[in-house]
Amino acid sequence: FKAVTSAGIKNPIIDVSFKDLTKGKYRVLSFFAKKARGRLANFIVQNRVYSVEELKDFNLDNYYFDPKSSSNGQLVFLRDKQ
């Protein structure tokens, strides 16, 4: 994403975070987050996702959408167990 000039993008940019429960707190674990981002990209293509609302249906690898931690510009997916 660093190679893209975000000012030139007309559509809103949505940040997506994947957090795993570790020692009683949700944290981004880079290994699992990278894998989840790839699974999300595959989900988008296979399901022909065209809206942010449809992204919220992502639920692979025990991740689920957390509306409490999310905002308009950021979607947060949590996982309690691996």
Side-chain angles (χ1 to χ4, degrees):
F1 186 75
K2 293 177 185 177
V4 176
T5 305
S6 59
I9 298 175
K10 296 176 184 175
N11 291 324
I13 297 172
I14 306 298
D15 182 36
V16 179
S17 295
F18 294 94
K19 298 181 180 185
D20 287 89
L21 184 62
T22 305
K23 298 179 184 177
K25 292 186 177 183
Y26 288 101
R27 302 170 194 248
V28 175
L29 302 178
S30 61
F31 175 79
F32 295 115
K34 183 176 183 178
K35 187 176 177 181
R37 286 192 303 269
R39 301 275 284 177
L40 178 64
N42 192 37
F43 174 82
I44 291 168
V45 172
Q46 286 185 340
N47 294 288
R48 298 180 185 207
V49 174
Y50 290 101
S51 71
V52 175
E53 287 300 315
E54 291 175 287
L55 284 176
K56 296 175 183 179
D57 292 335
F58 177 80
N59 64 352
L60 300 174
D61 294 338
N62 296 319
Y63 282 103
Y64 59 91
F65 174 68
D66 182 36
K68 295 176 189 172
S69 302
S70 300
S71 64
N72 287 340
Q74 181 178 30
L75 300 181
V76 177
F77 291 88
L78 303 177
R79 179 166 66 171
D80 299 326
K81 58 184 175 182
Q82 295 176 13

